[in-house]
Amino acid sequence: MNKSAKKGISLLLATSVLASPFVLVPNAAYALTVEEVSADDTGVDEETEYTIEFEIDKELKAGGTITVKFPSGYQVDKNLKKKDVTLEDDDGDKIAISRVDASKTTVDIEVDEKIKKGTTLVLTIDKVTNPDDKDSYSIGVKTSAESTYKYEKISIGKSSSSSSSSGKFGVSLSSKDSEAAISLTLGKLSLASKTKLKKGEYIYVNFPTKDMLPKSISKSDVRVNGEKVDYVSILSNNSVRIEVPSRVDGDNYIDLEFSKSAGIVNPSKADKYYTFTIEYDDKEYKSKDVEVTGSSSSSSSSISVGMSDYKAGARASYTLDLELSERLYSNTDIQVDFPTADMVPPVLSAYNVTVNGDQVSNLSTSGSRVSFRTPSGFKSTDSITIRFTQDAYITNPRTAGFYNITAKVDGKTYRSKEFQITGAAIPTPIAVDNSLATIGLTRATAATPAGLSIGIKGLGVAVPRAQGFVEVVLPVGFRVPAYLPANTVTVNGVAANYVGVRGQNLIIYPSQDIPAQTAVQVNIAETAGVVNPATAGVYSIGVYTSEEKGLLFARPTTIVALNGVSFKADVANFTKSGKTTALAVAPYTVNGNTLIPTTFFRDALGFQISYTKTTAKVVSGNTVMNFKVGSNVVNINGQNVTLPAAVQLKNNIPTLPLKTIADRTGYKIIYVNGNYTVYK
């Protein structure tokens, strides 16, 4: 049974200070005050958990200690650990503990944060064994900032001065559904003979199960005999402690009301025999049996959904209004599940999601789910509005119909009322031929940053700007950055509106409408940060759009060993094995044929070369090629071969047709928009 505390000393002190000059206040009034000591089990020789409530008068700094001294006859587990001890302030906020030391009858708790003077603390200590003898025992508390212990008594092994009242009091629940958020009325119960309520003393309500209670209850949600209370707290067991308000002083009955916003919920399991007990003045009163029916994993509360646009497939802002079964606090997890995964962009900014107007933190997305936390300093409430702005890029389902949204708030699930999406379903795609569509990498060497060039011949369904998207699926092996700046990607020559990343996939929102049957050129710059696979081989890259089901097309791309050589048209250098080397002449094209300086074949490919202003000789193994400046004929191993373009002289170095030499020496060329990779 809980021990009822007497009128708080702090209240008397406050009255004295107001009524008397400061100099007349006794020094003792400024010492630590123990307001209550209680135990889950007051039987003799029982191991139990103790709850001690006390107010400190001096600031306790981080690293300071709280010491609890049990009298002779008690036994504290010498292996007591931090997990066996909790410390909270009177608002229910936990205070960090860095260390716990225990002896036979003493517990030292080192705190890990500063505690202001005047703070009321609730300390629970588990694994304490009561004495063998029935008696009243004084338990002391002090801090490293206090000079002496302050004591409060508790009775061990003594039965209540009165047995439970003969008449059981009634219980009224607003709902009998399991896990439903409820309002609750207990009573009216008549107190034992000559017992009357006294302001400042405590009423204890023991609930059937601990999971009925929230983390804390606001005093505004509790009434005693129709009057609001000044103080209410939840103890570490399944009990609620309520201070008797002055306005009911002298009443000989108890009638308790808990509003729905108190956060109380029915037990999770159906049963006909749940009971409540009320304790006051060392007497216990028991309720009639209460029935809880049904089984539900979700709160009965619902979500109201508002949108800026109800048309199918439209980009819209979303507003979700929730009435919660208990109060929501800062740094609390929330998950919102939309009806379909394609409604949620792969990357979503916390700037575009708020709870009651405050920007959320720790936001992430996964499929149709958006997860985040309420920010630090969030004002506690049981009514919230979650808003996804227009810039969050949430889009409506693409088919008209009725839908629901669910939200999980601090472990409890809420489901929205049905909302309707209007308009026609996705239009039937127009047949387009993408057999000649292309995908190319600007660099084909392994483990090398590369850009992509994607040439779509036509779309079957239009892609609306800033709403629909083109999705590029890169196979495993490619390294894809977590974020791509929109200005590193262009669609038909215009910077993308937004680029997201979903695993290996790039989600590209165009800045302009792309009509059906229109060709689309998507370019992803090397500066975007995509890196080729480390292993050479053939990889297939796929292209999709948000508006069409299924693959638009896919193309194989060849990744070559790192010793392949990459260069660009009109850029006077080449890259091999990650090293860039200058060229005396930049590669260039003549009538679609690439000419490259003779020195490239020596420095990049390792051939033997010799040249003058009029001739050039290239030797690779048994292949000997003799060129003449101005001639479109080359002599290869004694045979004349016509060149696609005549040899030219640039900066006193002959420039030779690349394709002819590559074909004769077994090299292959990959070309994408002015980017070349030569490999064997």
Side-chain angles (χ1 to χ4, degrees), residues 273-316:
Y273 304 105
Y274 285 110
T275 58
F276 295 78
T277 58
I278 293 177
E279 299 174 26
Y280 180 72
D281 195 29
D282 287 337
K283 298 176 179 66
E284 185 178 275
Y285 305 84
K286 190 174 182 179
S287 77
K288 298 176 182 179
D289 291 334
V290 179
E291 182 179 10
V292 172
T293 61
S295 178
S296 173
S297 60
S298 298
S299 167
S300 60
S301 300
S302 61
I303 307 171
S304 296
V305 179
M307 289 169 283
S308 60
D309 193 329
Y310 285 82
K311 294 191 296 294
R315 176 176 149 204

Side-chain angles (χ1 to χ4, degrees), residues 303-381:
I303 307 171
S304 296
V305 179
M307 289 169 283
S308 60
D309 193 329
Y310 285 82
K311 294 191 296 294
R315 176 176 149 204
S317 61
Y318 271 71
T319 301
L320 313 179
D321 292 312
L322 290 80
E323 294 296 328
L324 305 178
S325 61
E326 62 181 74
R327 287 183 175 272
L328 180 66
Y329 296 88
S330 61
N331 298 312
T332 302
D333 291 325
I334 298 177
Q335 296 175 353
V336 176
D337 286 288
F338 287 89
T340 59
D342 58 4
M343 294 180 65
V344 180
V347 179
L348 182 58
S349 171
Y351 289 107
N352 299 314
V353 185
T354 60
V355 179
N356 288 1
D358 294 327
Q359 181 186 314
V360 303
S361 62
N362 296 81
L363 186 141
S364 63
T365 63
S366 177
S368 62
R369 175 170 296 174
V370 182
S371 303
F372 49 87
R373 287 182 181 176
T374 52
S376 298
F378 179 80
K379 186 177 180 181
S380 65
T381 179

Side-chain angles (χ1 to χ4, degrees), residues 36 47 205 414 489 494 662:
E36 183 192 9
E47 183 180 281
V205 182
Y414 302 82
V489 180
V494 179

